[in-house]
Amino acid sequence: MLIACLWAVSCTAQQVVPVVRQCLEANRPVGTARGIFPGRVAWSHAPEAAQWNGKDGLWFDDSHNSQELCDRMLERNVCTLAGTNNAKAAWKAIFRYFNTTHGKGKKGYARGEKIAVKINNNNTSSHSDSPEINASPQMVLALLKSLVNEAGVPQENITVAEPSRYITDCIYNKCHTMFPGVRFVDNSGGDGRVKAEYSADAMRYSVDNRRLARGIAVAFTEADYTINMALLKGHNGQGVTLCGKNWYGAMSIDPDYRKNAHNNFGQDRDGRPKYVTFVDFMGHKDLGGKCLIWFIDALYGCKSVGGRPAPKWSMEPFNGNWPCS
């Protein structure tokens, strides 16, 4: 609307009205709201959670980040989403809602059911730590602590997966030390990680996507529930893709992005309706169709797809700090 109003200064009413109408239509929610409180999105913000100065050490070092505040943000999010006062009750409500709406009856989590968590470690080339923006170890651990200690999910039934890349030491060592029973699945395996296997031709796209990968990691096809934990960052060509493109990493793609097809990843630059592959990921029965909850790890943020976290956020209420969300 701001852009439309600025543009309108030198235009006639006949020119302005169609643009304003298009803006209103583009920002009107589409579809049917879902959830315990239909359409609810929960946000938690702890301004002191991330304190890296952008120069010393690495952004994910424990000395720069508060695990306590990350735990608190995760708990606050699930409680707000479910409308409860504690995480145990929140997870019970979240599982019950999911099972009720997926034909599994009005029940909570059942022992033996598997959960696969898709993190985003896109900027990795080995198990060695990368200085670039990736899943934050503190937020991954906060999720595991909540699932095990509050939701009552046995460690051995949880898989943290990044099938197209690598789960780096900063994540694996921190989480494995506290939860040695949790499985960690990545593209290469080894060093305590499990090598990803794929269910061939598990994906059927809505259009002919030619060479686009069709295999889905078995960690997801065999799971009873999935959790999508995306990152707050931009993406070259597609703007901000968040949870939509995060599923691409669950596919049978090559860790070298240059060797992969990217059919129908970009939106129409004129704003016209267009098929985008991410919708098939979101709607697939083994990916978005099983998704219990969607998170965006926003402890840090990045304007581009790669590189170190940058810049800090000037807008309120961040006021020159990291998102810490």
Side-chain angles (χ1 to χ4, degrees), residues 95-114:
F95 276 106
R96 185 186 296 118
Y97 172 80
F98 179 94
N99 288 327
T100 300
T101 56
H102 285 72
K104 299 171 68 175
K106 193 175 182 180
K107 66 182 186 69
Y109 173 80
R111 196 172 186 86
E113 292 181 321
K114 298 179 180 180

Side-chain angles (χ1 to χ4, degrees), residues 81-162:
L81 192 69
T84 66
N85 293 321
N86 63 79
K88 281 186 171 65
W91 282 114
K92 185 175 181 180
I94 291 168
F95 276 106
R96 185 186 296 118
Y97 172 80
F98 179 94
N99 288 327
T100 300
T101 56
H102 285 72
K104 299 171 68 175
K106 193 175 182 180
K107 66 182 186 69
Y109 173 80
R111 196 172 186 86
E113 292 181 321
K114 298 179 180 180
I115 298 179
V117 180
K118 174 61 176 70
I119 62 171
N120 187 330
N121 247 35
N122 190 59
N123 295 309
T124 58
S125 57
S126 71
H127 291 153
S128 299
D129 290 332
S130 166
E132 296 190 73
I133 184 79
N134 284 303
S136 55
Q138 292 79 15
M139 291 308 300
V140 177
L141 181 60
L143 175 58
L144 292 179
K145 290 169 75 172
S146 195
L147 285 173
V148 174
N149 300 331
E150 306 298 337
V153 182
Q155 296 182 40
E156 61 270 20
N157 291 338
I158 301 173
T159 297
V160 175
E162 179 53 298

Side-chain angles (χ1 to χ4, degrees), residues 76-283:
R76 189 183 305 152
N77 263 39
V78 295
C79 288
T80 302
L81 192 69
T84 66
N85 293 321
N86 63 79
K88 281 186 171 65
W91 282 114
K92 185 175 181 180
I94 291 168
F95 276 106
R96 185 186 296 118
Y97 172 80
F98 179 94
N99 288 327
T100 300
T101 56
H102 285 72
K104 299 171 68 175
K106 193 175 182 180
K107 66 182 186 69
Y109 173 80
R111 196 172 186 86
E113 292 181 321
K114 298 179 180 180
I115 298 179
V117 180
K118 174 61 176 70
I119 62 171
N120 187 330
N121 247 35
N122 190 59
N123 295 309
T124 58
S125 57
S126 71
H127 291 153
S128 299
D129 290 332
S130 166
E132 296 190 73
I133 184 79
N134 284 303
S136 55
Q138 292 79 15
M139 291 308 300
V140 177
L141 181 60
L143 175 58
L144 292 179
K145 290 169 75 172
S146 195
L147 285 173
V148 174
N149 300 331
E150 306 298 337
V153 182
Q155 296 182 40
E156 61 270 20
N157 291 338
I158 301 173
T159 297
V160 175
E162 179 53 298
S164 68
R165 294 292 189 271
Y166 306 86
I167 296 179
T168 42
D169 289 336
C170 64
I171 295 174
Y172 178 79
N173 292 338
K174 173 180 281 293
C175 296
H176 180 71
T177 298
M178 184 168 289
F179 298 111
V182 171
R183 297 172 71 248
F184 292 84
V185 173
D186 70 6
N187 190 262
S188 67
D191 300 323
R193 289 75 155 173
V194 177
K195 183 176 175 59
E197 297 180 352
Y198 300 90
S199 177
D201 297 321
M203 173 62 77
R204 292 290 185 270
Y205 294 105
S206 300
V207 303
D208 180 8
N209 268 327
R210 301 186 298 283
R211 297 183 299 108
L212 199 59
R214 295 181 179 274
I216 298 178
V218 172
F220 296 96
T221 61
E222 291 187 347
D224 297 283
Y225 311 94
T226 62
I227 292 177
N228 187 317
M229 199 172 203
L231 283 178
L232 184 62
K233 64 175 184 175
H235 195 282
N236 301 338
Q238 290 89 47
V240 179
T241 54
L242 304 175
C243 295
K245 189 173 180 294
N246 195 30
W247 289 130
Y248 186 48
M251 306 297 293
S252 54
I253 59 177
D254 194 285
D256 181 350
Y257 74 92
R258 291 174 288 264
K259 297 179 180 179
N260 296 307
H262 297 81
N263 305 108
N264 292 301
F265 272 29
Q267 67 276 19
D268 187 278
R269 296 294 175 174
D270 294 327
R272 291 172 295 192
K274 176 184 179 293
Y275 164 80
V276 177
T277 301
F278 306 151
V279 176
D280 280 335
F281 296 153
M282 300 282 270

